[in-house]
């Protein structure tokens, strides 16, 4: 089984025309008792863990093209069956929905290399990393679309390399955002501490 709502929401934030064509979709990993869906642009990553009984299925991984999933209209049903048919796959909810597609022919990158280690995750930001808040909003909206909740907790990575770490209140979804390399500074602009000066009176001449 796969979760159509999660696949649809994640596909909306997948790359559209990345030259790394294998990123233009949702990477799906089927395991006996869970499935994992991953999207990354290189600047951010989101992953959803779907706890489901796949014990009668062989482990498999594939990249479902973005354009296939953004056209999905779950309409209240969440789960569908994913099955193979030669070089193609079928998404079928056993009711009124069936979709046949070809997966992306490519190798998805090892996303685990950019995930922070558990011991390096902290509530503080010791490295002072900056990151793109538009990405934070993108991941937050995706998470809220899956769980109908906007509760998001932001954690950080103590290691000198790696991402800021985004975690929702639901334990089955995570997102990470890579830091922006900028000139290191801790200075706030001086004008915020100054009282605006009154306008000088205009001089008059006789």
């Amino acid at each position: 089984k796969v979760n159509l709502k999660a696949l649809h929401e994640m596909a909306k934030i997948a790359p559209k025309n990345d030259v790394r064509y294998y990123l233009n979709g949702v990477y799906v990993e089927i395991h006996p008792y869970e499935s994992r869906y991953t999207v990354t642009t290189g600047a951010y990553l989101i992953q959803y863990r779907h706890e489901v009984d796949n014990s009668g299925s062989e482990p498999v991984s594939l990249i479902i093209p973005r354009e296939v999933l953004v056209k999905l209209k779950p309409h209240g049903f969440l789960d569908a069956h994913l099955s193979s048919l030669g070089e193609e796959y079928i998404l079928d909810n056993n009711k009124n929905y069936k979709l046949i597609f070809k997966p992306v022919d490519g190798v998805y990158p090892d996303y685990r290399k950019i995930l922070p280690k558990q011991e390096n995750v902290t509530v503080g930001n010791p490295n002072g990393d900056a990151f793109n808040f538009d990405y934070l909003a993108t991941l937050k909206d995706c998470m809220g679309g899956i769980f109908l909740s906007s509760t998001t907790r932001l954690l950080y990575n103590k290691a000198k390399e790696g991402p800021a770490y985004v975690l929702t209140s639901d334990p089955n979804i995570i997102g990470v955002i890579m830091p922006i390399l900028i000139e290191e500074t801790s200075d706030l602009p001086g004008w915020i501490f100054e009282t605006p000066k009154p306008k000088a009176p205009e001089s008059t001449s006789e």
Side-chain angles (χ1 to χ4, degrees):
K1 290 183 178 180
V2 292
N3 186 300
L4 293 181
K5 185 173 181 62
L7 288 172
H8 175 66
E9 293 295 330
M10 293 178 68
K12 291 193 293 187
I13 67 168
K16 295 180 181 179
N17 298 299
D18 199 300
V19 294
R20 300 163 295 180
Y21 64 93
Y22 43 82
L23 297 183
N24 299 321
V26 179
Y27 181 50
V28 178
E29 300 169 277
I30 305 295
H31 301 285
Y33 297 102
E34 67 177 61
S35 299
R36 297 191 181 192
Y37 315 150
T38 305
V39 163
T40 186
T41 64
Y44 62 75
L45 176 147
I46 188 167
Q47 184 174 89
Y48 171 62
R49 176 175 176 259
H50 182 204
E51 295 184 277
V52 64
D53 185 2
N54 292 322
S55 55
S57 305
E58 291 293 325
V60 66
S61 61
L62 70 154
I63 305 169
I64 304 180
R66 178 188 182 277
E67 61 269 19
V68 169
L69 297 174
V70 294
K71 295 177 182 177
L72 289 176
K73 294 180 173 59
H75 291 311
F77 60 84
L78 298 180
D79 290 335
H81 289 90
L82 177 68
S83 56
S84 61
L85 181 65
E87 295 182 353
E88 297 179 319
Y89 280 80
I90 302 173
L91 279 173
D92 185 358
N93 76 333
N94 288 331
K95 293 180 181 179
N96 58 355
Y97 188 89
K98 180 179 288 188
L99 178 66
I100 300 176
F101 67 92
K102 283 189 175 182
V104 176
D105 184 15
V107 178
Y108 210 74
D110 185 0
Y111 58 83
R112 292 175 178 85
K113 290 183 177 179
I114 70 170
L115 297 176
K117 296 180 179 179
Q118 180 63 45
E119 61 269 22
N120 288 333
V121 176
T122 177
V123 295
N125 189 352
N127 295 328
D129 292 330
F131 61 91
N132 188 324
F133 271 76
D134 288 342
Y135 296 156
L136 178 60
T138 295
L139 296 183
K140 184 174 181 293
D141 288 346
C142 180
M143 293 170 175
I146 295 172
F147 294 104
L148 302 179
S149 170
S150 59
T151 302
T152 306
R153 187 181 182 197
L154 181 63
L155 302 175
Y156 296 93
N157 184 12
K158 291 189 294 185
K160 293 296 183 182
E161 65 284 338
Y165 187 76
V166 182
L167 172 68
T168 61
S169 57
D170 190 286
N172 287 314
I173 193 164
I174 61 168
V176 297
I177 304 173
M178 299 305 293
I180 299 172
L181 299 178
I182 59 174
E183 183 179 352
E184 184 174 346
T185 178
S186 59
D187 295 335
L188 295 174
W191 57 264
I192 68 172
F193 304 106
E194 300 173 355
T195 302
K197 296 179 181 179
K199 182 178 179 180
E202 297 182 2
S203 60
T204 59
S205 58
E206 297 180 0

